[in-house]
Amino acid sequence: SQKIEQNSEALNIQEGKTATLTCNYTNYSPAYLQWYRQDPGRGPVFLLLIRENEKEKRKERLKVTFDTTLKQSLFHITASQPADSATYLCALVRGSQGNLIFGKGTKLSVKP
Amino acid sequence: NAGVTQTPKFQVLKTGQSMTLQCAQDMNHEYMSWYRQDPGMGLRLIHYSVGAGITDQGEVPNGYNVSRSTTEDFPLRLLSAAPSQTSVYFCASRGPGGTSGNTIYFGEGSWLTVV
């Protein structure tokens, strides 16, 4: 069956460093992948989408890569700030209706 | 622009009771869906709809019903609540353009406890 895994439940880093989160998937070849941010007690918020023919996508301090050979996406936050502390979810599209399947998320904590 | 609105925010039910979680969006989106989020399980798709009058099952549909009589509303019904349905429920809608990767917008969630 299709599986999507975010390899760390939690990641702690120091302010100013680059946070790197990993998303791996198996038994699947998605047309695109998305990353979401979720704060405690809130719904997920869309951050970035990257398509299978794109190697890299950037938005301000965020960068996403997509390696379809490795079946892996990396999500980077450069110059991290305490306000970046949240849970980050990756999601893949499945099926003709475009439903998303989500990883379990990585909880990022940025310490001042 | 309210986006996706869910009610109620919090609800406690007794086993066997029924209830409806309401979801409304004001963005004229055709696609809407319901997810549940449990610790250690991530978000799992319950039901979805690609337009008024059209619904389909997701990954974990048992114990839930949906209907889509209008584009704006997509209620989720729990027929006979069970403790296993204690969870946080999120409604979501997707922007136009079909499945080509458009943004999904989530509501703020409904916390349901079944005792």
Side-chain angles (χ1 to χ4, degrees), chain B residues 39-52:
Chain B
M41 298 293 291
L43 284 156
R44 292 181 291 170
L45 182 65
I46 304 172
H47 284 284
Y48 66 97
S49 168
V50 297

Side-chain angles (χ1 to χ4, degrees), chain A residues 69-84:
Chain A
T69 302
L70 291 179
K71 293 186 181 291
Q72 181 181 81
S73 175
L74 299 178
F75 177 81
H76 306 272
I77 306 176
T78 59
S80 60
Q81 305 165 0
D84 295 325

Side-chain angles (χ1 to χ4, degrees), chain A residues 32 34 36 38 41-44 46 49 51 89 93-94 96-100 102-104, chain B residues 9 31 35 37 40-41 43 45 48 50 90 94 99-104 106-108 111:
Chain A
Y32 59 84
Q34 298 183 348
Y36 289 78
Q38 186 173 23
R42 308 295 296 274
F46 171 80
L49 177 151
R51 301 184 190 281
L89 309 171
V93 66
R94 174 175 63 186
S96 60
Q97 301 301 341
N99 292 317
L100 291 179
F102 284 84
K104 295 177 184 178
Chain B
K9 181 82 171 178
Y31 176 96
Y35 288 84
Q37 188 174 39
M41 298 293 291
L43 284 156
L45 182 65
Y48 66 97
V50 297
F90 289 100
R94 184 176 67 213
T99 63
S100 61
N102 287 292
T103 305
I104 286 194
F106 283 86
E108 289 299 302
W111 272 253

